[in-house]
Amino acid sequence: MMTTAIAQDKALIAAEDIVRAARKTPARQPVVTSFFDEATFTASHVVHDPETGRAAIIDSVLDYDPASGRTAHDSAQAIVDFVREAGLTVDWLLETHAHADHLTAAPWLQEQLGGSIAIGGAITTVQDTFGKLFNAGEDFARDGTQFDHLFTDGERFSIGNIDAVVLHVPGHTPADLAYVIGDAAFAGDTIFMPDYGTARADFPGGDAGQLYRSIRRLLSLPRDTRLFLCHDYKAPGRDNYVWETTIGAERDDNIHVHDGVSESEFVAMRTARDRTLGMPRLILPSVQVNMRGGHMPEPESNGIRYLKMPVDAV
């Protein structure tokens, strides 16, 4: 396991050259419009090129009531309304990882706006792990085919005329990605606002040491890179939700992983902190849906779709 992890880290570091190459000329600045879902503390982002109107939607939210099992599209509809009013064309529906705290609305947004649903190629590891937990059966594909595109580390794409590159940043989960789009980076759950710290690493496939190395890799981007986060929980003493910072601010002030914090210090802190955390409220429904690319399980013989609740298993 250790040998494999070291080999994976070396592969990730090599891809950093691609990011640096993309920054040899001044990075274009995408327009970022964010939507915050307070029920799940999730920030979704619409990123677009002002020259062409081409856009991507990152980490959308499907409203879900666990008491009734009902879904709604209020959060996603706000994004649809904005995209249509702004006259944007959606090319990508990007997921930073298979979220454990909210259900993605990507398939519904695709029906409304088009675009390709994408996630990191390591989603297959997540599918294998949770496919077993939920006893998903042979009909559940564990090859990522529920998504339109699986990104590899260092892969290049574009939003209109704005260059973008993918960074694999595992540790929170095996499949976490950061998207660097022009002068902006979208880090998912890997890191939070400087006054709140970093993601947990105790989910299946998580690894605190790997998370540290992924964060340090992310923090090697230029200090003025705008950094957009997937969540905010209001750090103690702060009354407002915030989801935008900079790489420089994280390097200087992140309470868990600022410059000078060693890997061993971080792992000790993260491991101790994770032991005190409860499970996310929506983890069981979220993972079942998100590992399927946002689709619900197939209807059973009575025409009803079901999400499973494993007992004494997590």
Side-chain angles (χ1 to χ4, degrees), residues 101-186:
D101 38 32
H102 70 272
L103 286 65
T104 176
W108 186 82
L109 286 170
Q110 187 178 54
E111 291 177 0
Q112 306 300 312
L113 300 170
S116 297
I117 301 174
I119 200 167
I123 188 63
T124 57
T125 301
V126 176
Q127 289 176 328
D128 184 61
T129 298
F130 285 98
K132 293 174 182 175
L133 173 64
F134 293 111
N135 198 27
E138 295 181 359
D139 291 340
F140 171 56
R142 293 160 169 81
D143 58 3
T145 52
Q146 300 88 343
F147 300 84
D148 298 313
H149 186 77
L150 300 181
F151 280 113
T152 59
D153 185 57
E155 185 172 345
R156 301 284 293 276
F157 67 108
S158 64
I159 307 296
N161 294 329
I162 300 177
D163 291 332
V165 64
V166 175
L167 295 179
H168 185 205
V169 286
H172 173 58
T173 79
D176 280 66
L177 294 183
Y179 298 100
V180 184
I181 303 172
D183 76 332
F186 301 83

Coordinates of all heavy atoms in Angstrom, one line a residue, residues 101-186:
D101 N -22.3 14.7 1.3 CA -23.1 15.7 2.1 C -24.3 16.3 1.3 O -25.1 17.0 1.8 CB -22.3 16.8 2.7 CG -21.2 17.2 1.7 OD1 -21.4 17.2 0.5 OD2 -20.1 17.6 2.1
H102 N -24.3 16.0 0.0 CA -25.5 16.4 -0.8 C -25.5 15.6 -2.1 O -24.6 15.0 -2.5 CB -25.4 17.9 -1.2 CG -24.3 18.3 -2.1 ND1 -23.0 18.5 -1.8 CD2 -24.3 18.3 -3.5 CE1 -22.3 18.8 -2.9 NE2 -23.0 18.7 -3.9
L103 N -26.7 15.6 -2.7 CA -26.9 14.9 -3.9 C -26.7 15.8 -5.1 O -27.1 17.0 -5.0 CB -28.4 14.3 -4.0 CG -28.8 13.1 -3.2 CD1 -28.7 13.4 -1.7 CD2 -30.2 12.6 -3.5
T104 N -26.0 15.4 -6.1 CA -25.8 16.2 -7.3 C -27.1 16.3 -8.1 O -27.8 15.4 -8.3 CB -24.6 15.7 -8.1 OG1 -24.5 16.5 -9.3 CG2 -24.9 14.3 -8.6
A105 N -27.2 17.5 -8.7 CA -28.3 17.7 -9.7 C -27.9 17.6 -11.1 O -28.6 18.0 -12.0 CB -29.0 19.1 -9.4
A106 N -26.7 17.1 -11.4 CA -26.1 17.1 -12.7 C -27.0 16.5 -13.8 O -27.2 17.2 -14.8 CB -24.7 16.5 -12.7
P107 N -27.6 15.4 -13.6 CA -28.5 14.8 -14.7 C -29.7 15.7 -15.0 O -30.0 15.9 -16.2 CB -28.9 13.5 -14.1 CG -27.8 13.1 -13.2 CD -27.5 14.4 -12.5
W108 N -30.3 16.3 -14.0 CA -31.4 17.2 -14.2 C -30.9 18.5 -14.9 O -31.6 18.9 -15.9 CB -32.1 17.6 -12.9 CG -33.4 18.4 -13.1 CD1 -34.6 17.9 -13.4 CD2 -33.5 19.8 -13.0 NE1 -35.5 18.9 -13.5 CE2 -34.9 20.1 -13.3 CE3 -32.6 20.8 -12.7 CZ2 -35.3 21.4 -13.2 CZ3 -33.1 22.1 -12.7 CH2 -34.4 22.4 -12.9
L109 N -29.8 19.0 -14.5 CA -29.3 20.2 -15.2 C -28.9 19.9 -16.6 O -29.1 20.7 -17.5 CB -28.0 20.7 -14.4 CG -28.3 21.4 -13.1 CD1 -27.0 21.7 -12.3 CD2 -29.0 22.8 -13.4
Q110 N -28.4 18.7 -16.9 CA -28.1 18.3 -18.2 C -29.4 18.3 -19.1 O -29.3 18.7 -20.3 CB -27.4 16.9 -18.2 CG -26.9 16.4 -19.6 CD -26.2 15.1 -19.5 OE1 -26.8 14.1 -19.0 NE2 -25.0 15.0 -19.9
E111 N -30.5 17.8 -18.6 CA -31.7 17.8 -19.3 C -32.2 19.2 -19.6 O -32.7 19.5 -20.7 CB -32.8 17.1 -18.5 CG -32.6 15.6 -18.3 CD -33.7 15.0 -17.4 OE1 -34.6 15.8 -16.9 OE2 -33.7 13.8 -17.1
Q112 N -31.9 20.1 -18.7 CA -32.4 21.5 -18.9 C -31.4 22.3 -19.8 O -31.9 23.2 -20.6 CB -32.5 22.2 -17.5 CG -33.3 21.5 -16.5 CD -34.8 21.3 -17.0 OE1 -35.4 22.3 -17.4 NE2 -35.3 20.1 -16.9
L113 N -30.1 22.1 -19.7 CA -29.1 23.0 -20.2 C -28.1 22.3 -21.1 O -27.3 23.0 -21.8 CB -28.3 23.7 -19.1 CG -29.2 24.6 -18.1 CD1 -28.3 25.0 -17.0 CD2 -29.8 25.8 -18.9
G114 N -28.0 21.0 -21.1 CA -27.0 20.3 -21.9 C -25.7 20.2 -21.1 O -25.7 20.4 -19.9
G115 N -24.6 19.9 -21.8 CA -23.3 19.7 -21.2 C -23.0 18.3 -20.9 O -23.9 17.4 -20.8
S116 N -21.7 18.0 -20.7 CA -21.2 16.7 -20.4 C -20.9 16.6 -18.9 O -20.3 17.5 -18.3 CB -19.9 16.4 -21.2 OG -20.2 16.4 -22.5
I117 N -21.4 15.5 -18.3 CA -21.2 15.3 -16.8 C -19.8 14.6 -16.7 O -19.5 13.6 -17.3 CB -22.3 14.4 -16.2 CG1 -23.6 15.1 -16.4 CG2 -22.0 14.1 -14.7 CD1 -24.8 14.2 -15.9
A118 N -18.9 15.2 -15.8 CA -17.6 14.7 -15.7 C -17.1 14.6 -14.3 O -17.6 15.4 -13.4 CB -16.6 15.6 -16.5
I119 N -16.2 13.7 -14.0 CA -15.6 13.5 -12.7 C -14.3 12.8 -12.9 O -13.9 12.5 -14.0 CB -16.5 12.6 -11.8 CG1 -16.3 12.7 -10.3 CG2 -16.5 11.1 -12.2 CD1 -17.3 12.1 -9.4
G120 N -13.5 12.6 -11.8 CA -12.2 12.0 -12.0 C -12.3 10.5 -12.2 O -13.2 9.8 -11.7
G121 N -11.3 9.9 -12.9 CA -11.3 8.5 -13.2 C -11.3 7.6 -12.0 O -11.7 6.5 -12.1
A122 N -10.8 8.1 -10.9 CA -10.7 7.3 -9.7 C -12.1 7.1 -9.1 O -12.2 6.4 -8.1 CB -9.8 7.9 -8.7
I123 N -13.2 7.6 -9.7 CA -14.5 7.3 -9.2 C -14.8 5.8 -9.2 O -15.6 5.3 -8.5 CB -15.6 8.0 -10.1 CG1 -17.0 7.9 -9.5 CG2 -15.5 7.5 -11.5 CD1 -17.2 8.5 -8.2
T124 N -14.1 5.0 -10.1 CA -14.3 3.6 -10.1 C -13.9 2.9 -8.8 O -14.5 1.9 -8.4 CB -13.4 3.0 -11.3 OG1 -12.1 3.3 -11.1 CG2 -13.9 3.5 -12.6
T125 N -12.9 3.5 -8.1 CA -12.5 3.0 -6.8 C -13.6 3.2 -5.8 O -14.0 2.4 -5.0 CB -11.2 3.7 -6.3 OG1 -10.2 3.4 -7.2 CG2 -10.8 3.2 -4.9
V126 N -14.2 4.4 -5.8 CA -15.4 4.8 -5.0 C -16.5 3.8 -5.3 O -17.2 3.3 -4.4 CB -15.7 6.2 -5.1 CG1 -17.0 6.6 -4.3 CG2 -14.6 7.1 -4.8
Q127 N -16.8 3.6 -6.6 CA -17.9 2.8 -6.9 C -17.7 1.3 -6.4 O -18.7 0.7 -6.0 CB -18.1 2.8 -8.5 CG -18.6 4.1 -9.0 CD -18.7 4.1 -10.5 OE1 -17.8 3.5 -11.2 NE2 -19.6 4.8 -11.1
D128 N -16.5 0.8 -6.5 CA -16.3 -0.5 -6.0 C -16.5 -0.6 -4.5 O -17.1 -1.5 -4.0 CB -14.8 -0.9 -6.4 CG -14.5 -2.4 -6.0 OD1 -15.2 -3.3 -6.5 OD2 -13.6 -2.6 -5.2
T129 N -16.0 0.4 -3.8 CA -16.1 0.4 -2.3 C -17.5 0.5 -1.9 O -18.0 -0.3 -1.1 CB -15.3 1.5 -1.7 OG1 -13.9 1.4 -2.0 CG2 -15.4 1.6 -0.2
F130 N -18.2 1.4 -2.4 CA -19.6 1.7 -1.9 C -20.6 0.7 -2.7 O -21.7 0.5 -2.1 CB -20.0 3.1 -2.1 CG -19.4 4.0 -1.0 CD1 -18.2 4.7 -1.3 CD2 -19.9 4.1 0.2 CE1 -17.6 5.5 -0.3 CE2 -19.3 4.8 1.2 CZ -18.1 5.5 0.9
G131 N -20.2 0.2 -3.8 CA -21.1 -0.8 -4.4 C -21.2 -2.0 -3.6 O -22.3 -2.6 -3.4
K132 N -20.1 -2.3 -2.9 CA -20.1 -3.5 -1.9 C -20.9 -3.1 -0.7 O -21.7 -3.9 -0.2 CB -18.7 -3.8 -1.6 CG -17.9 -4.4 -2.7 CD -16.4 -4.6 -2.3 CE -15.6 -5.1 -3.5 NZ -14.1 -5.2 -3.1
L133 N -20.7 -1.9 -0.2 CA -21.4 -1.5 1.1 C -22.9 -1.6 0.9 O -23.7 -2.1 1.7 CB -21.0 -0.1 1.5 CG -21.8 0.5 2.7 CD1 -21.6 -0.3 3.9 CD2 -21.4 1.9 2.9
F134 N -23.4 -1.1 -0.3 CA -24.8 -1.0 -0.6 C -25.3 -2.3 -1.3 O -26.5 -2.3 -1.7 CB -25.2 0.2 -1.3 CG -25.0 1.5 -0.6 CD1 -23.9 2.4 -0.9 CD2 -25.8 1.8 0.5 CE1 -23.7 3.6 -0.2 CE2 -25.6 3.0 1.3 CZ -24.5 3.8 0.9
N135 N -24.4 -3.2 -1.5 CA -24.8 -4.5 -2.1 C -25.6 -4.2 -3.4 O -26.7 -4.7 -3.7 CB -25.7 -5.4 -1.2 CG -25.8 -6.8 -1.7 OD1 -24.8 -7.3 -2.3 ND2 -26.8 -7.5 -1.3
A136 N -24.9 -3.3 -4.2 CA -25.6 -2.8 -5.4 C -25.9 -3.8 -6.5 O -26.7 -3.5 -7.4 CB -24.8 -1.6 -6.0
G137 N -25.2 -4.9 -6.5 CA -25.5 -6.0 -7.4 C -24.7 -5.9 -8.7 O -24.1 -4.9 -9.0
E138 N -24.9 -6.9 -9.5 CA -24.1 -6.9 -10.8 C -24.6 -5.9 -11.8 O -23.9 -5.5 -12.7 CB -24.2 -8.3 -11.4 CG -23.5 -9.4 -10.6 CD -23.6 -10.8 -11.2 OE1 -24.2 -10.9 -12.3 OE2 -23.1 -11.7 -10.6
D139 N -25.8 -5.4 -11.7 CA -26.3 -4.4 -12.6 C -25.7 -3.0 -12.4 O -25.8 -2.2 -13.3 CB -27.9 -4.3 -12.4 CG -28.6 -5.5 -12.9 OD1 -28.0 -6.3 -13.7 OD2 -29.7 -5.7 -12.5
F140 N -25.1 -2.8 -11.3 CA -24.4 -1.5 -11.0 C -23.0 -1.5 -11.6 O -22.1 -2.3 -11.1 CB -24.4 -1.2 -9.5 CG -23.5 0.0 -9.2 CD1 -23.8 1.2 -9.7 CD2 -22.5 -0.1 -8.3 CE1 -23.0 2.3 -9.4 CE2 -21.7 1.0 -7.9 CZ -22.0 2.2 -8.5
A141 N -22.8 -0.8 -12.6 CA -21.5 -0.7 -13.3 C -20.5 0.0 -12.4 O -20.8 1.1 -11.9 CB -21.6 0.0 -14.6
R142 N -19.3 -0.5 -12.3 CA -18.3 0.0 -11.5 C -17.1 0.5 -12.4 O -16.0 0.6 -11.9 CB -17.8 -1.0 -10.5 CG -18.8 -1.4 -9.4 CD -18.5 -2.7 -8.8 NE -19.3 -3.0 -7.6 CZ -20.5 -3.5 -7.6 NH1 -21.1 -3.7 -8.8 NH2 -21.2 -3.7 -6.5
D143 N -17.5 1.0 -13.6 CA -16.4 1.4 -14.5 C -16.6 2.9 -14.9 O -15.9 3.4 -15.8 CB -16.5 0.6 -15.8 CG -17.9 0.6 -16.5 OD1 -18.8 1.4 -16.0 OD2 -18.1 -0.1 -17.5
G144 N -17.4 3.6 -14.2 CA -17.6 5.1 -14.4 C -18.4 5.4 -15.6 O -18.5 6.6 -16.0
T145 N -19.1 4.4 -16.2 CA -19.9 4.7 -17.4 C -21.1 5.5 -17.2 O -21.8 6.0 -18.1 CB -20.2 3.4 -18.1 OG1 -20.9 2.5 -17.2 CG2 -19.0 2.7 -18.7
Q146 N -21.5 5.8 -15.9 CA -22.6 6.7 -15.6 C -22.3 8.1 -15.9 O -23.2 9.0 -16.0 CB -23.0 6.5 -14.1 CG -23.4 5.1 -13.7 CD -22.2 4.3 -13.3 OE1 -21.1 4.6 -13.5 NE2 -22.5 3.2 -12.6
F147 N -21.0 8.4 -16.1 CA -20.5 9.8 -16.4 C -20.2 9.9 -17.9 O -19.8 8.9 -18.5 CB -19.3 10.1 -15.5 CG -19.6 10.1 -14.1 CD1 -19.5 8.9 -13.4 CD2 -19.9 11.2 -13.4 CE1 -19.8 8.8 -12.0 CE2 -20.2 11.2 -12.0 CZ -20.1 10.0 -11.3
D148 N -20.3 11.1 -18.4 CA -19.9 11.3 -19.8 C -18.4 11.3 -20.1 O -18.0 11.0 -21.2 CB -20.6 12.6 -20.4 CG -22.1 12.6 -20.3 OD1 -22.7 11.5 -20.7 OD2 -22.7 13.5 -19.8
H149 N -17.7 11.7 -19.0 CA -16.3 11.9 -19.2 C -15.6 11.6 -17.9 O -16.0 12.1 -16.8 CB -15.9 13.2 -19.7 CG -14.4 13.4 -20.1 ND1 -13.9 12.9 -21.2 CD2 -13.4 14.0 -19.4 CE1 -12.6 13.1 -21.2 NE2 -12.3 13.8 -20.1
L150 N -14.5 10.9 -17.9 CA -13.7 10.7 -16.7 C -12.3 11.4 -16.9 O -11.6 11.0 -17.8 CB -13.4 9.2 -16.4 CG -14.7 8.3 -16.2 CD1 -14.3 6.9 -15.9 CD2 -15.5 8.9 -15.1
F151 N -12.0 12.4 -16.1 CA -10.8 13.1 -16.3 C -9.6 12.4 -15.7 O -9.7 11.7 -14.7 CB -10.9 14.5 -15.6 CG -11.6 15.5 -16.3 CD1 -12.8 16.0 -15.9 CD2 -11.1 16.0 -17.5 CE1 -13.5 17.0 -16.6 CE2 -11.7 17.0 -18.2 CZ -13.0 17.5 -17.8
T152 N -8.4 12.5 -16.3 CA -7.2 12.0 -15.8 C -6.4 13.2 -15.2 O -6.6 14.4 -15.6 CB -6.4 11.3 -16.9 OG1 -6.1 12.2 -18.0 CG2 -7.1 10.1 -17.4
D153 N -5.5 12.9 -14.4 CA -4.6 13.9 -13.8 C -3.8 14.6 -14.9 O -3.2 14.0 -15.7 CB -3.7 13.3 -12.7 CG -2.9 14.4 -12.0 OD1 -3.5 15.2 -11.4 OD2 -1.6 14.3 -12.1
G154 N -3.8 16.0 -14.8 CA -3.1 16.8 -15.8 C -3.8 17.0 -17.1 O -3.3 17.6 -18.0
E155 N -5.0 16.5 -17.2 CA -5.8 16.6 -18.5 C -6.1 18.1 -18.7 O -6.6 18.8 -17.8 CB -7.0 15.7 -18.5 CG -7.8 15.7 -19.8 CD -8.9 14.7 -19.8 OE1 -8.9 13.8 -18.9 OE2 -9.7 14.7 -20.7
R156 N -6.0 18.5 -20.0 CA -6.4 19.8 -20.4 C -7.7 19.9 -21.0 O -8.1 19.0 -21.8 CB -5.3 20.4 -21.3 CG -3.9 20.4 -20.7 CD -3.7 21.5 -19.7 NE -3.7 22.8 -20.4 CZ -2.7 23.4 -21.0 NH1 -1.5 22.8 -21.1 NH2 -2.8 24.6 -21.5
F157 N -8.5 20.9 -20.8 CA -9.7 21.2 -21.5 C -9.9 22.7 -21.5 O -9.0 23.5 -21.2 CB -10.9 20.5 -20.9 CG -11.3 20.9 -19.5 CD1 -12.5 21.6 -19.3 CD2 -10.5 20.6 -18.4 CE1 -12.9 22.0 -18.0 CE2 -10.9 21.0 -17.1 CZ -12.1 21.7 -16.9
S158 N -11.0 23.2 -22.0 CA -11.2 24.6 -22.0 C -12.7 25.0 -21.7 O -13.6 24.2 -22.0 CB -10.8 25.2 -23.4 OG -11.6 24.7 -24.4
I159 N -12.9 26.2 -21.3 CA -14.2 26.8 -21.2 C -14.2 28.0 -22.1 O -13.6 29.0 -21.8 CB -14.5 27.3 -19.7 CG1 -14.3 26.2 -18.7 CG2 -15.9 27.9 -19.6 CD1 -15.2 25.0 -18.8
G160 N -14.7 27.8 -23.3 CA -14.6 28.8 -24.3 C -13.1 29.0 -24.7 O -12.4 28.1 -25.1
N161 N -12.6 30.3 -24.5 CA -11.2 30.6 -24.8 C -10.3 30.5 -23.6 O -9.2 30.9 -23.7 CB -11.1 32.0 -25.4 CG -11.8 32.1 -26.8 OD1 -11.9 31.1 -27.6 ND2 -12.4 33.3 -27.1
I162 N -10.9 30.0 -22.5 CA -10.1 29.9 -21.3 C -9.6 28.5 -21.1 O -10.3 27.6 -21.0 CB -10.9 30.4 -20.1 CG1 -11.4 31.8 -20.3 CG2 -10.1 30.3 -18.8 CD1 -12.4 32.3 -19.2
D163 N -8.2 28.4 -20.9 CA -7.6 27.1 -20.7 C -7.9 26.6 -19.3 O -8.0 27.4 -18.4 CB -6.1 27.2 -20.9 CG -5.7 27.4 -22.4 OD1 -6.5 27.0 -23.3 OD2 -4.7 28.1 -22.6
A164 N -8.0 25.3 -19.2 CA -8.3 24.7 -17.9 C -7.5 23.4 -17.8 O -7.1 22.8 -18.8 CB -9.8 24.3 -17.7
V165 N -7.1 23.0 -16.6 CA -6.4 21.8 -16.3 C -6.9 21.1 -15.1 O -7.4 21.8 -14.2 CB -4.8 22.1 -16.2 CG1 -4.6 23.0 -15.0 CG2 -4.0 20.8 -16.2
V166 N -6.8 19.8 -15.0 CA -7.3 19.0 -13.9 C -6.2 18.6 -13.0 O -5.2 18.1 -13.5 CB -8.1 17.8 -14.5 CG1 -8.5 16.9 -13.3 CG2 -9.3 18.2 -15.3
L167 N -6.4 18.7 -11.7 CA -5.4 18.2 -10.8 C -6.1 17.1 -9.9 O -7.2 17.3 -9.4 CB -4.9 19.2 -9.8 CG -4.1 20.4 -10.4 CD1 -3.7 21.4 -9.3 CD2 -2.8 19.8 -11.1
H168 N -5.6 15.9 -9.8 CA -6.1 14.9 -9.0 C -5.5 15.2 -7.5 O -4.3 15.2 -7.3 CB -5.6 13.5 -9.4 CG -6.1 12.3 -8.7 ND1 -5.5 11.1 -8.6 CD2 -7.3 12.2 -8.0 CE1 -6.2 10.3 -7.9 NE2 -7.3 10.9 -7.5
V169 N -6.5 15.4 -6.6 CA -6.1 15.7 -5.2 C -6.7 14.8 -4.2 O -7.6 15.2 -3.4 CB -6.4 17.2 -4.9 CG1 -5.4 18.1 -5.6 CG2 -7.9 17.5 -5.3
P170 N -6.4 13.5 -4.2 CA -7.0 12.5 -3.3 C -6.6 12.7 -1.9 O -5.7 13.5 -1.6 CB -6.4 11.2 -3.9 CG -5.1 11.6 -4.4 CD -5.3 12.9 -5.0
G171 N -7.3 12.1 -1.0 CA -7.1 12.1 0.4 C -8.4 12.3 1.2 O -8.6 11.5 2.1
H172 N -9.2 13.2 0.8 CA -10.6 13.2 1.3 C -11.4 12.0 0.8 O -12.0 11.3 1.6 CB -11.2 14.6 0.9 CG -12.7 14.7 1.3 ND1 -13.1 14.6 2.6 CD2 -13.8 14.9 0.5 CE1 -14.5 14.7 2.6 NE2 -14.9 14.9 1.3
T173 N -11.3 11.8 -0.5 CA -11.7 10.6 -1.1 C -10.7 10.2 -2.1 O -9.9 11.1 -2.5 CB -13.1 10.7 -1.8 OG1 -13.0 11.3 -3.0 CG2 -14.1 11.4 -0.9
P174 N -10.7 9.0 -2.7 CA -9.7 8.7 -3.7 C -9.9 9.4 -5.0 O -9.0 9.5 -5.8 CB -10.0 7.2 -3.9 CG -10.7 6.7 -2.7 CD -11.5 7.8 -2.3
A175 N -11.1 10.0 -5.2 CA -11.4 10.5 -6.6 C -11.5 12.1 -6.6 O -11.9 12.6 -7.6 CB -12.8 10.0 -7.0
D176 N -11.0 12.8 -5.6 CA -11.1 14.2 -5.6 C -10.3 14.9 -6.7 O -9.2 14.5 -6.9 CB -10.7 14.8 -4.2 CG -11.7 14.7 -3.2 OD1 -12.1 13.5 -2.8 OD2 -12.2 15.7 -2.7
L177 N -10.9 15.9 -7.3 CA -10.3 16.7 -8.3 C -10.3 18.1 -7.9 O -11.2 18.6 -7.2 CB -10.9 16.5 -9.7 CG -10.9 15.2 -10.4 CD1 -11.6 15.4 -11.8 CD2 -9.5 14.7 -10.6
A178 N -9.3 18.9 -8.4 CA -9.4 20.3 -8.4 C -9.4 20.8 -9.9 O -8.6 20.2 -10.7 CB -8.3 21.0 -7.7
Y179 N -10.2 21.7 -10.3 CA -10.2 22.3 -11.6 C -9.6 23.6 -11.6 O -10.0 24.5 -10.9 CB -11.6 22.4 -12.2 CG -12.4 21.0 -12.2 CD1 -13.3 20.6 -11.2 CD2 -12.2 20.2 -13.3 CE1 -13.9 19.4 -11.3 CE2 -12.8 18.9 -13.4 CZ -13.7 18.6 -12.4 OH -14.4 17.4 -12.5
V180 N -8.5 23.8 -12.4 CA -7.8 25.1 -12.5 C -8.3 25.7 -13.9 O -7.9 25.2 -14.9 CB -6.3 25.0 -12.5 CG1 -5.7 26.4 -12.5 CG2 -5.9 24.3 -11.2
I181 N -9.1 26.7 -13.8 CA -9.7 27.3 -15.0 C -9.3 28.8 -15.0 O -9.7 29.6 -14.2 CB -11.3 27.2 -14.9 CG1 -11.7 25.8 -14.8 CG2 -11.9 27.8 -16.2 CD1 -13.2 25.6 -14.5
G182 N -8.4 29.1 -16.0 CA -7.8 30.4 -16.0 C -7.1 30.7 -14.7 O -6.2 30.0 -14.3
D183 N -7.5 31.9 -14.1 CA -6.8 32.3 -12.9 C -7.6 31.8 -11.6 O -7.3 32.3 -10.5 CB -6.7 33.8 -12.8 CG -8.0 34.5 -12.5 OD1 -9.1 33.9 -12.8 OD2 -8.0 35.6 -11.9
A184 N -8.5 30.9 -11.8 CA -9.3 30.4 -10.7 C -9.2 28.9 -10.5 O -9.0 28.1 -11.5 CB -10.8 30.7 -11.0
A185 N -9.2 28.4 -9.3 CA -9.1 27.0 -9.0 C -10.4 26.7 -8.1 O -10.8 27.4 -7.3 CB -7.9 26.7 -8.2
F186 N -10.9 25.5 -8.4 CA -12.1 25.0 -7.7 C -11.7 23.7 -7.0 O -11.4 22.7 -7.7 CB -13.2 24.8 -8.7 CG -13.6 26.0 -9.4 CD1 -12.9 26.5 -10.5 CD2 -14.6 26.9 -8.9 CE1 -13.1 27.7 -11.2 CE2 -14.9 28.1 -9.5 CZ -14.2 28.5 -10.7

